[in-house]
Amino acid sequence: ASTRMFWTYNTSANSWSALAQTPASVRNGGALAYANGNVYGLRGNDENDFWRYDIGADAWSNRASLPVNTGWGAALAWDGTDTIYAFAGSDSKDFYTYSISANAWTSLANTPADVNDGGALAYAGGYVYAFRGNTTTAFWRYYVASSAWEVKASTPATVDQGGSLAWDGGDFIYAFRGNSATAFWRYYINGDSWTALTSAPAT
């Protein structure tokens, strides 16, 4: 929303608290990923800024900027070790990896098609799962070991602005469709299949 607001949610107290504001305004393409005790963020807003938030110090710092600007459909996903994966979005096929220890970006194999509104990423067991968004049903998987993309089972309906993915650490990935809809889905990794769950309370 072109603001610098950043918050933390306390699960036990069911409450929100304001934290240090971001270095600049965040808009379309803003994204976050937790990694190794810090939070990493894309600014979006058709800029290439990339930041790190130090939880203990409640402070932001600049990290290496992406090689391209980010916008609608930009996304981040951490692999649990030293690597963060990123979509640039903005109707591009750009896909990158960020080395936390080296503070450096590397371009990876292009996505099968352009990524835009609703683009999303989730890392799960050696693969990166992805929504293309862009009002399509496309769902892909990137195999890290072979550096290659493959097409997986299509989503039950088109995904657009607000699409998102979250891995549960086991056999399932949960997803919002976005697209001004209440749809909430579960993807079964081993079965390559989607199931519709109880709808969200609002679009």
PDB file of all heavy atoms in Angstrom, residues 14-48:
ATOM      1  N   ASN A  14      -2.286 -13.416  20.680  1.00  0.00           N
ATOM      2  CA  ASN A  14      -3.219 -13.019  19.622  1.00  0.00           C
ATOM      3  C   ASN A  14      -3.247 -11.499  19.469  1.00  0.00           C
ATOM      4  O   ASN A  14      -4.297 -10.866  19.507  1.00  0.00           O
ATOM      5  CB  ASN A  14      -4.624 -13.552  19.905  1.00  0.00           C
ATOM      6  CG  ASN A  14      -5.586 -13.296  18.747  1.00  0.00           C
ATOM      7  OD1 ASN A  14      -5.173 -13.228  17.583  1.00  0.00           O
ATOM      8  ND2 ASN A  14      -6.867 -13.145  19.059  1.00  0.00           N
ATOM      9  N   SER A  15      -2.032 -10.922  19.300  1.00  0.00           N
ATOM     10  CA  SER A  15      -1.948  -9.470  19.203  1.00  0.00           C
ATOM     11  C   SER A  15      -0.848  -9.048  18.238  1.00  0.00           C
ATOM     12  O   SER A  15       0.104  -9.798  17.991  1.00  0.00           O
ATOM     13  CB  SER A  15      -1.656  -8.864  20.576  1.00  0.00           C
ATOM     14  OG  SER A  15      -0.395  -9.305  21.065  1.00  0.00           O
ATOM     15  N   TRP A  16      -0.998  -7.845  17.704  1.00  0.00           N
ATOM     16  CA  TRP A  16      -0.032  -7.269  16.778  1.00  0.00           C
ATOM     17  C   TRP A  16       0.754  -6.145  17.443  1.00  0.00           C
ATOM     18  O   TRP A  16       0.223  -5.415  18.275  1.00  0.00           O
ATOM     19  CB  TRP A  16      -0.754  -6.691  15.553  1.00  0.00           C
ATOM     20  CG  TRP A  16      -1.359  -7.718  14.646  1.00  0.00           C
ATOM     21  CD1 TRP A  16      -2.635  -8.218  14.710  1.00  0.00           C
ATOM     22  CD2 TRP A  16      -0.745  -8.364  13.546  1.00  0.00           C
ATOM     23  NE1 TRP A  16      -2.846  -9.135  13.715  1.00  0.00           N
ATOM     24  CE2 TRP A  16      -1.682  -9.244  12.973  1.00  0.00           C
ATOM     25  CE3 TRP A  16       0.533  -8.291  12.973  1.00  0.00           C
ATOM     26  CZ2 TRP A  16      -1.402 -10.036  11.869  1.00  0.00           C
ATOM     27  CZ3 TRP A  16       0.819  -9.087  11.863  1.00  0.00           C
ATOM     28  CH2 TRP A  16      -0.144  -9.937  11.328  1.00  0.00           C
ATOM     29  N   SER A  17       2.041  -5.967  17.011  1.00  0.00           N
ATOM     30  CA  SER A  17       2.868  -4.860  17.488  1.00  0.00           C
ATOM     31  C   SER A  17       3.638  -4.265  16.309  1.00  0.00           C
ATOM     32  O   SER A  17       4.104  -5.000  15.431  1.00  0.00           O
ATOM     33  CB  SER A  17       3.873  -5.335  18.539  1.00  0.00           C
ATOM     34  OG  SER A  17       3.219  -5.897  19.653  1.00  0.00           O
ATOM     35  N   ALA A  18       3.773  -2.948  16.308  1.00  0.00           N
ATOM     36  CA  ALA A  18       4.529  -2.281  15.255  1.00  0.00           C
ATOM     37  C   ALA A  18       6.025  -2.432  15.507  1.00  0.00           C
ATOM     38  O   ALA A  18       6.487  -2.327  16.640  1.00  0.00           O
ATOM     39  CB  ALA A  18       4.151  -0.807  15.196  1.00  0.00           C
ATOM     40  N   LEU A  19       6.782  -2.657  14.425  1.00  0.00           N
ATOM     41  CA  LEU A  19       8.232  -2.773  14.495  1.00  0.00           C
ATOM     42  C   LEU A  19       8.868  -1.634  13.695  1.00  0.00           C
ATOM     43  O   LEU A  19       8.161  -0.775  13.167  1.00  0.00           O
ATOM     44  CB  LEU A  19       8.675  -4.128  13.938  1.00  0.00           C
ATOM     45  CG  LEU A  19       8.135  -5.362  14.664  1.00  0.00           C
ATOM     46  CD1 LEU A  19       8.573  -6.627  13.949  1.00  0.00           C
ATOM     47  CD2 LEU A  19       8.610  -5.382  16.115  1.00  0.00           C
ATOM     48  N   ALA A  20      10.191  -1.650  13.609  1.00  0.00           N
ATOM     49  CA  ALA A  20      10.899  -0.634  12.825  1.00  0.00           C
ATOM     50  C   ALA A  20      10.370  -0.612  11.401  1.00  0.00           C
ATOM     51  O   ALA A  20      10.170  -1.655  10.780  1.00  0.00           O
ATOM     52  CB  ALA A  20      12.390  -0.932  12.821  1.00  0.00           C
ATOM     53  N   GLN A  21      10.149   0.568  10.875  1.00  0.00           N
ATOM     54  CA  GLN A  21       9.619   0.690   9.527  1.00  0.00           C
ATOM     55  C   GLN A  21      10.665   0.289   8.489  1.00  0.00           C
ATOM     56  O   GLN A  21      11.870   0.377   8.721  1.00  0.00           O
ATOM     57  CB  GLN A  21       9.149   2.127   9.276  1.00  0.00           C
ATOM     58  CG  GLN A  21       7.955   2.518  10.136  1.00  0.00           C
ATOM     59  CD  GLN A  21       7.345   3.833   9.698  1.00  0.00           C
ATOM     60  OE1 GLN A  21       7.908   4.564   8.887  1.00  0.00           O
ATOM     61  NE2 GLN A  21       6.186   4.157  10.233  1.00  0.00           N
ATOM     62  N   THR A  22      10.182  -0.142   7.340  1.00  0.00           N
ATOM     63  CA  THR A  22      11.068  -0.540   6.250  1.00  0.00           C
ATOM     64  C   THR A  22      11.846   0.672   5.729  1.00  0.00           C
ATOM     65  O   THR A  22      11.422   1.814   5.916  1.00  0.00           O
ATOM     66  CB  THR A  22      10.268  -1.177   5.102  1.00  0.00           C
ATOM     67  OG1 THR A  22       9.274  -0.250   4.653  1.00  0.00           O
ATOM     68  CG2 THR A  22       9.596  -2.462   5.556  1.00  0.00           C
ATOM     69  N   PRO A  23      12.981   0.447   5.068  1.00  0.00           N
ATOM     70  CA  PRO A  23      13.795   1.579   4.598  1.00  0.00           C
ATOM     71  C   PRO A  23      13.097   2.459   3.557  1.00  0.00           C
ATOM     72  O   PRO A  23      13.472   3.621   3.387  1.00  0.00           O
ATOM     73  CB  PRO A  23      15.024   0.890   3.985  1.00  0.00           C
ATOM     74  CG  PRO A  23      15.101  -0.425   4.683  1.00  0.00           C
ATOM     75  CD  PRO A  23      13.677  -0.837   4.887  1.00  0.00           C
ATOM     76  N   ALA A  24      12.119   1.906   2.841  1.00  0.00           N
ATOM     77  CA  ALA A  24      11.386   2.669   1.831  1.00  0.00           C
ATOM     78  C   ALA A  24       9.994   2.047   1.685  1.00  0.00           C
ATOM     79  O   ALA A  24       9.718   0.979   2.240  1.00  0.00           O
ATOM     80  CB  ALA A  24      12.127   2.659   0.497  1.00  0.00           C
ATOM     81  N   SER A  25       9.136   2.694   0.940  1.00  0.00           N
ATOM     82  CA  SER A  25       7.753   2.230   0.819  1.00  0.00           C
ATOM     83  C   SER A  25       7.668   0.908   0.047  1.00  0.00           C
ATOM     84  O   SER A  25       8.404   0.676  -0.912  1.00  0.00           O
ATOM     85  CB  SER A  25       6.898   3.288   0.126  1.00  0.00           C
ATOM     86  OG  SER A  25       7.417   3.588  -1.149  1.00  0.00           O
ATOM     87  N   VAL A  26       6.749   0.059   0.490  1.00  0.00           N
ATOM     88  CA  VAL A  26       6.534  -1.266  -0.108  1.00  0.00           C
ATOM     89  C   VAL A  26       5.205  -1.252  -0.852  1.00  0.00           C
ATOM     90  O   VAL A  26       4.207  -0.749  -0.349  1.00  0.00           O
ATOM     91  CB  VAL A  26       6.526  -2.359   0.979  1.00  0.00           C
ATOM     92  CG1 VAL A  26       6.220  -3.718   0.373  1.00  0.00           C
ATOM     93  CG2 VAL A  26       7.864  -2.377   1.708  1.00  0.00           C
ATOM     94  N   ARG A  27       5.208  -1.857  -2.041  1.00  0.00           N
ATOM     95  CA  ARG A  27       3.978  -1.896  -2.826  1.00  0.00           C
ATOM     96  C   ARG A  27       3.904  -3.229  -3.565  1.00  0.00           C
ATOM     97  O   ARG A  27       4.427  -4.231  -3.084  1.00  0.00           O
ATOM     98  CB  ARG A  27       3.932  -0.684  -3.779  1.00  0.00           C
ATOM     99  CG  ARG A  27       2.534  -0.361  -4.300  1.00  0.00           C
ATOM    100  CD  ARG A  27       2.467   1.037  -4.911  1.00  0.00           C
ATOM    101  NE  ARG A  27       1.111   1.315  -5.405  1.00  0.00           N
ATOM    102  CZ  ARG A  27       0.767   1.179  -6.668  1.00  0.00           C
ATOM    103  NH1 ARG A  27       1.662   0.791  -7.576  1.00  0.00           N
ATOM    104  NH2 ARG A  27      -0.477   1.433  -7.054  1.00  0.00           N
ATOM    105  N   ASN A  28       3.239  -3.248  -4.716  1.00  0.00           N
ATOM    106  CA  ASN A  28       3.062  -4.493  -5.467  1.00  0.00           C
ATOM    107  C   ASN A  28       4.391  -5.230  -5.646  1.00  0.00           C
ATOM    108  O   ASN A  28       5.377  -4.653  -6.076  1.00  0.00           O
ATOM    109  CB  ASN A  28       2.442  -4.221  -6.841  1.00  0.00           C
ATOM    110  CG  ASN A  28       3.124  -3.093  -7.596  1.00  0.00           C
ATOM    111  OD1 ASN A  28       3.056  -1.939  -7.183  1.00  0.00           O
ATOM    112  ND2 ASN A  28       3.790  -3.422  -8.697  1.00  0.00           N
ATOM    113  N   GLY A  29       4.406  -6.500  -5.263  1.00  0.00           N
ATOM    114  CA  GLY A  29       5.627  -7.294  -5.338  1.00  0.00           C
ATOM    115  C   GLY A  29       6.388  -7.375  -4.029  1.00  0.00           C
ATOM    116  O   GLY A  29       7.401  -8.072  -3.947  1.00  0.00           O
ATOM    117  N   GLY A  30       5.923  -6.676  -2.986  1.00  0.00           N
ATOM    118  CA  GLY A  30       6.554  -6.829  -1.677  1.00  0.00           C
ATOM    119  C   GLY A  30       6.418  -8.270  -1.205  1.00  0.00           C
ATOM    120  O   GLY A  30       5.382  -8.898  -1.391  1.00  0.00           O
ATOM    121  N   ALA A  31       7.478  -8.817  -0.608  1.00  0.00           N
ATOM    122  CA  ALA A  31       7.450 -10.215  -0.165  1.00  0.00           C
ATOM    123  C   ALA A  31       8.416 -10.413   0.987  1.00  0.00           C
ATOM    124  O   ALA A  31       9.399  -9.670   1.122  1.00  0.00           O
ATOM    125  CB  ALA A  31       7.814 -11.148  -1.320  1.00  0.00           C
ATOM    126  N   LEU A  32       8.145 -11.424   1.828  1.00  0.00           N
ATOM    127  CA  LEU A  32       8.971 -11.721   2.991  1.00  0.00           C
ATOM    128  C   LEU A  32       9.328 -13.203   3.063  1.00  0.00           C
ATOM    129  O   LEU A  32       8.563 -14.059   2.611  1.00  0.00           O
ATOM    130  CB  LEU A  32       8.230 -11.350   4.281  1.00  0.00           C
ATOM    131  CG  LEU A  32       7.909  -9.882   4.541  1.00  0.00           C
ATOM    132  CD1 LEU A  32       7.028  -9.761   5.788  1.00  0.00           C
ATOM    133  CD2 LEU A  32       9.185  -9.067   4.713  1.00  0.00           C
ATOM    134  N   ALA A  33      10.490 -13.479   3.678  1.00  0.00           N
ATOM    135  CA  ALA A  33      10.873 -14.862   3.979  1.00  0.00           C
ATOM    136  C   ALA A  33      11.742 -14.850   5.229  1.00  0.00           C
ATOM    137  O   ALA A  33      12.684 -14.055   5.335  1.00  0.00           O
ATOM    138  CB  ALA A  33      11.635 -15.488   2.822  1.00  0.00           C
ATOM    139  N   TYR A  34      11.430 -15.721   6.176  1.00  0.00           N
ATOM    140  CA  TYR A  34      12.263 -15.893   7.370  1.00  0.00           C
ATOM    141  C   TYR A  34      13.433 -16.806   7.017  1.00  0.00           C
ATOM    142  O   TYR A  34      13.263 -17.808   6.309  1.00  0.00           O
ATOM    143  CB  TYR A  34      11.445 -16.513   8.493  1.00  0.00           C
ATOM    144  CG  TYR A  34      12.280 -16.863   9.709  1.00  0.00           C
ATOM    145  CD1 TYR A  34      12.492 -15.934  10.723  1.00  0.00           C
ATOM    146  CD2 TYR A  34      12.879 -18.113   9.831  1.00  0.00           C
ATOM    147  CE1 TYR A  34      13.274 -16.241  11.820  1.00  0.00           C
ATOM    148  CE2 TYR A  34      13.667 -18.427  10.918  1.00  0.00           C
ATOM    149  CZ  TYR A  34      13.859 -17.499  11.914  1.00  0.00           C
ATOM    150  OH  TYR A  34      14.642 -17.803  12.989  1.00  0.00           O
ATOM    151  N   ALA A  35      14.640 -16.463   7.521  1.00  0.00           N
ATOM    152  CA  ALA A  35      15.807 -17.306   7.274  1.00  0.00           C
ATOM    153  C   ALA A  35      16.875 -17.057   8.329  1.00  0.00           C
ATOM    154  O   ALA A  35      17.345 -15.927   8.498  1.00  0.00           O
ATOM    155  CB  ALA A  35      16.386 -17.034   5.883  1.00  0.00           C
ATOM    156  N   ASN A  36      17.257 -18.094   9.045  1.00  0.00           N
ATOM    157  CA  ASN A  36      18.387 -18.043   9.986  1.00  0.00           C
ATOM    158  C   ASN A  36      18.313 -16.893  10.983  1.00  0.00           C
ATOM    159  O   ASN A  36      19.288 -16.189  11.235  1.00  0.00           O
ATOM    160  CB  ASN A  36      19.715 -17.959   9.217  1.00  0.00           C
ATOM    161  CG  ASN A  36      20.010 -19.193   8.397  1.00  0.00           C
ATOM    162  OD1 ASN A  36      19.591 -20.292   8.751  1.00  0.00           O
ATOM    163  ND2 ASN A  36      20.721 -19.029   7.293  1.00  0.00           N
ATOM    164  N   GLY A  37      17.146 -16.691  11.571  1.00  0.00           N
ATOM    165  CA  GLY A  37      17.009 -15.684  12.605  1.00  0.00           C
ATOM    166  C   GLY A  37      16.769 -14.277  12.117  1.00  0.00           C
ATOM    167  O   GLY A  37      16.727 -13.341  12.923  1.00  0.00           O
ATOM    168  N   ASN A  38      16.646 -14.094  10.817  1.00  0.00           N
ATOM    169  CA  ASN A  38      16.362 -12.790  10.231  1.00  0.00           C
ATOM    170  C   ASN A  38      15.154 -12.896   9.303  1.00  0.00           C
ATOM    171  O   ASN A  38      14.726 -13.998   8.931  1.00  0.00           O
ATOM    172  CB  ASN A  38      17.564 -12.278   9.436  1.00  0.00           C
ATOM    173  CG  ASN A  38      18.784 -12.052  10.305  1.00  0.00           C
ATOM    174  OD1 ASN A  38      18.808 -11.182  11.165  1.00  0.00           O
ATOM    175  ND2 ASN A  38      19.815 -12.866  10.095  1.00  0.00           N
ATOM    176  N   VAL A  39      14.619 -11.752   8.909  1.00  0.00           N
ATOM    177  CA  VAL A  39      13.557 -11.706   7.919  1.00  0.00           C
ATOM    178  C   VAL A  39      14.078 -10.951   6.708  1.00  0.00           C
ATOM    179  O   VAL A  39      14.630  -9.849   6.848  1.00  0.00           O
ATOM    180  CB  VAL A  39      12.297 -11.010   8.464  1.00  0.00           C
ATOM    181  CG1 VAL A  39      11.221 -10.937   7.389  1.00  0.00           C
ATOM    182  CG2 VAL A  39      11.768 -11.748   9.690  1.00  0.00           C
ATOM    183  N   TYR A  40      13.950 -11.551   5.531  1.00  0.00           N
ATOM    184  CA  TYR A  40      14.405 -10.930   4.293  1.00  0.00           C
ATOM    185  C   TYR A  40      13.196 -10.429   3.510  1.00  0.00           C
ATOM    186  O   TYR A  40      12.134 -11.060   3.531  1.00  0.00           O
ATOM    187  CB  TYR A  40      15.211 -11.917   3.462  1.00  0.00           C
ATOM    188  CG  TYR A  40      16.543 -12.254   4.094  1.00  0.00           C
ATOM    189  CD1 TYR A  40      16.636 -13.186   5.123  1.00  0.00           C
ATOM    190  CD2 TYR A  40      17.711 -11.607   3.690  1.00  0.00           C
ATOM    191  CE1 TYR A  40      17.854 -13.474   5.731  1.00  0.00           C
ATOM    192  CE2 TYR A  40      18.933 -11.889   4.292  1.00  0.00           C
ATOM    193  CZ  TYR A  40      18.995 -12.828   5.306  1.00  0.00           C
ATOM    194  OH  TYR A  40      20.204 -13.093   5.904  1.00  0.00           O
ATOM    195  N   GLY A  41      13.357  -9.309   2.823  1.00  0.00           N
ATOM    196  CA  GLY A  41      12.214  -8.719   2.149  1.00  0.00           C
ATOM    197  C   GLY A  41      12.529  -8.075   0.815  1.00  0.00           C
ATOM    198  O   GLY A  41      13.572  -7.447   0.640  1.00  0.00           O
ATOM    199  N   LEU A  42      11.607  -8.262  -0.133  1.00  0.00           N
ATOM    200  CA  LEU A  42      11.616  -7.529  -1.386  1.00  0.00           C
ATOM    201  C   LEU A  42      10.753  -6.278  -1.223  1.00  0.00           C
ATOM    202  O   LEU A  42       9.654  -6.351  -0.663  1.00  0.00           O
ATOM    203  CB  LEU A  42      11.032  -8.369  -2.519  1.00  0.00           C
ATOM    204  CG  LEU A  42      11.787  -9.626  -2.943  1.00  0.00           C
ATOM    205  CD1 LEU A  42      10.988 -10.388  -3.985  1.00  0.00           C
ATOM    206  CD2 LEU A  42      13.168  -9.270  -3.483  1.00  0.00           C
ATOM    207  N   ARG A  43      11.212  -5.183  -1.731  1.00  0.00           N
ATOM    208  CA  ARG A  43      10.428  -3.959  -1.675  1.00  0.00           C
ATOM    209  C   ARG A  43       9.275  -3.974  -2.684  1.00  0.00           C
ATOM    210  O   ARG A  43       8.216  -3.406  -2.457  1.00  0.00           O
ATOM    211  CB  ARG A  43      11.329  -2.756  -1.960  1.00  0.00           C
ATOM    212  CG  ARG A  43      10.546  -1.444  -1.971  1.00  0.00           C
ATOM    213  CD  ARG A  43      11.428  -0.270  -2.376  1.00  0.00           C
ATOM    214  NE  ARG A  43      10.658   0.952  -2.408  1.00  0.00           N
ATOM    215  CZ  ARG A  43      11.126   2.124  -2.825  1.00  0.00           C
ATOM    216  NH1 ARG A  43      12.381   2.209  -3.245  1.00  0.00           N
ATOM    217  NH2 ARG A  43      10.356   3.192  -2.820  1.00  0.00           N
ATOM    218  N   GLY A  44       9.475  -4.618  -3.839  1.00  0.00           N
ATOM    219  CA  GLY A  44       8.484  -4.510  -4.905  1.00  0.00           C
ATOM    220  C   GLY A  44       8.474  -3.097  -5.445  1.00  0.00           C
ATOM    221  O   GLY A  44       9.515  -2.447  -5.539  1.00  0.00           O
ATOM    222  N   ASN A  45       7.288  -2.627  -5.831  1.00  0.00           N
ATOM    223  CA  ASN A  45       7.138  -1.222  -6.250  1.00  0.00           C
ATOM    224  C   ASN A  45       7.953  -0.906  -7.503  1.00  0.00           C
ATOM    225  O   ASN A  45       8.378   0.227  -7.716  1.00  0.00           O
ATOM    226  CB  ASN A  45       7.545  -0.282  -5.104  1.00  0.00           C
ATOM    227  CG  ASN A  45       6.941   1.101  -5.234  1.00  0.00           C
ATOM    228  OD1 ASN A  45       5.872   1.262  -5.804  1.00  0.00           O
ATOM    229  ND2 ASN A  45       7.636   2.101  -4.704  1.00  0.00           N
ATOM    230  N   ASP A  46       8.202  -1.955  -8.347  1.00  0.00           N
ATOM    231  CA  ASP A  46       9.017  -1.791  -9.555  1.00  0.00           C
ATOM    232  C   ASP A  46      10.412  -1.281  -9.236  1.00  0.00           C
ATOM    233  O   ASP A  46      11.005  -0.507  -9.994  1.00  0.00           O
ATOM    234  CB  ASP A  46       8.313  -0.862 -10.563  1.00  0.00           C
ATOM    235  CG  ASP A  46       7.004  -1.463 -11.068  1.00  0.00           C
ATOM    236  OD1 ASP A  46       6.980  -2.680 -11.322  1.00  0.00           O
ATOM    237  OD2 ASP A  46       6.021  -0.717 -11.184  1.00  0.00           O
ATOM    238  N   GLU A  47      10.931  -1.713  -8.080  1.00  0.00           N
ATOM    239  CA  GLU A  47      12.300  -1.427  -7.659  1.00  0.00           C
ATOM    240  C   GLU A  47      13.018  -2.752  -7.419  1.00  0.00           C
ATOM    241  O   GLU A  47      12.386  -3.811  -7.351  1.00  0.00           O
ATOM    242  CB  GLU A  47      12.309  -0.589  -6.371  1.00  0.00           C
ATOM    243  CG  GLU A  47      11.531   0.711  -6.443  1.00  0.00           C
ATOM    244  CD  GLU A  47      12.252   1.798  -7.227  1.00  0.00           C
ATOM    245  OE1 GLU A  47      13.427   1.593  -7.583  1.00  0.00           O
ATOM    246  OE2 GLU A  47      11.623   2.845  -7.464  1.00  0.00           O
ATOM    247  N   ASN A  48      14.339  -2.710  -7.262  1.00  0.00           N
ATOM    248  CA  ASN A  48      15.095  -3.948  -7.041  1.00  0.00           C
ATOM    249  C   ASN A  48      15.665  -4.055  -5.631  1.00  0.00           C
ATOM    250  O   ASN A  48      16.548  -4.872  -5.370  1.00  0.00           O
ATOM    251  CB  ASN A  48      16.208  -4.095  -8.074  1.00  0.00           C
ATOM    252  CG  ASN A  48      17.290  -3.026  -7.953  1.00  0.00           C
ATOM    253  OD1 ASN A  48      17.138  -2.053  -7.228  1.00  0.00           O
ATOM    254  ND2 ASN A  48      18.387  -3.210  -8.680  1.00  0.00           N
TER     255      ASN A  48
END
